[in-house]
């Protein structure tokens, strides 16, 4: 028979509590993937670009703040890729783990399939016009323009 001390019992309670925590994050994806994402959800992958950079395990890249989304959209390494020539779809997701990617300054990734995937908006890079955000929720768009985002 095994006896559990008070410290071990509290540790078990904390592990159970923290195992249920979900983190709100954002994921950018090419517009061409919208139908698949809305029907089947987001999937962990290791694509050809990732493999070229030495990344082989399946993961999903996310950012945890809207200001990071804007920085990412302005990054020429990201926004000049052919997959994003028509723009990006932004999704709000809940993930169980956030891991730091040392090779990518804005980057976090998850190794768990995200829950509660919600389409937020479409972002286009307007030539000479800056970033164009097409969103159903006008109030949210206005708050971003005023700088009132997290």
């Amino acid at each position: 028979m095994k006896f559990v001390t008070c410290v071990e019992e509290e540790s078990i309670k904390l592990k159970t509590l923290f195992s249920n925590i979900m983190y709100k994050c954002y994921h950018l994806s090419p517009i061409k993937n919208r139908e698949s994402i809305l029907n089947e959800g987001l999937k962990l992958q290791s694509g050809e670009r990732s493999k070229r950079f030495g990344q082989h395990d399946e993961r999903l890249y996310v950012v945890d703040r809207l200001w990071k989304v804007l920085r990412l959209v302005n990054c020429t390494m990201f926004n000049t890729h052919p997959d994003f020539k028509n723009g990006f779809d932004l999704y709000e997701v809940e993930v169980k783990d956030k891991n730091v990617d040392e090779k990518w300054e804005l980057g976090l990734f998850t190794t768990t399939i995200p829950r509660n995937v919600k389409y937020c908006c479409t972002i286009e890079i307007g030539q000479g016009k800056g970033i164009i955000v097409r969103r159903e929720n006008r109030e949210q768009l206005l708050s971003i323009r005023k700088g009132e985002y997290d």
Side-chain angles (χ1 to χ4, degrees):
M1 177 183 263
K2 182 180 178 188
F3 292 98
V4 177
T5 66
C6 290
V7 172
E8 289 172 324
E9 188 176 318
E10 287 302 312
S11 176
I12 292 168
K13 286 179 185 176
L14 284 173
K15 284 180 184 175
T16 304
L17 175 69
F18 284 114
S19 69
N20 295 323
I21 290 177
M22 300 295 286
Y23 301 100
K24 180 172 102 173
C25 291
Y26 302 94
H27 174 74
L28 284 169
S29 184
I31 293 171
K32 67 180 182 178
N33 296 342
R34 182 184 304 158
E35 187 176 335
S36 169
I37 291 170
L38 293 177
N39 290 332
E40 302 168 27
L42 287 164
K43 299 173 186 163
L44 304 177
Q45 295 181 352
S46 180
E48 290 304 314
R49 283 182 291 163
S50 298
K51 290 176 184 171
R52 281 195 308 256
F53 292 111
Q55 171 56 50
H56 297 285
D57 56 328
E58 293 187 336
R59 54 176 61 179
L60 181 77
Y61 282 93
V62 294
V63 292
D64 57 355
R65 300 277 187 262
L66 280 173
W67 69 265
K68 291 181 180 181
V69 170
L70 297 176
R71 288 224 10 233
L72 187 58
V73 167
N74 280 316
C75 172
T76 55
M77 184 178 98
F78 188 77
N79 67 26
T80 57
H81 192 278
D83 284 354
F84 299 110
K85 69 179 177 186
N86 296 323
F88 318 84
D89 280 342
L90 177 66
Y91 297 90
E92 183 180 291
V93 299
E94 290 180 359
V95 298
K96 208 169 179 102
D97 66 330
K98 296 188 300 184
N99 304 288
V100 174
D101 186 340
E102 302 295 331
K103 298 176 186 173
W104 185 40
E105 72 174 282
L106 298 172
L108 299 171
F109 66 90
T110 183
T111 55
T112 58
I113 295 174
R115 292 193 220 162
N116 300 326
V117 176
K118 182 175 97 178
Y119 169 79
C120 294
C121 66
T122 298
I123 301 170
E124 300 170 8
I125 306 296
Q127 293 191 343
K129 299 177 186 174
I131 299 171
I132 301 167
V133 178
R134 304 200 186 282
R135 170 185 317 243
E136 313 259 329
N137 184 343
R138 181 168 166 69
E139 291 172 10
Q140 193 175 12
L141 172 60
L142 292 174
S143 72
I144 286 176
R145 284 185 178 159
K146 292 178 187 175
E148 300 168 358
Y149 51 87
D150 62 356

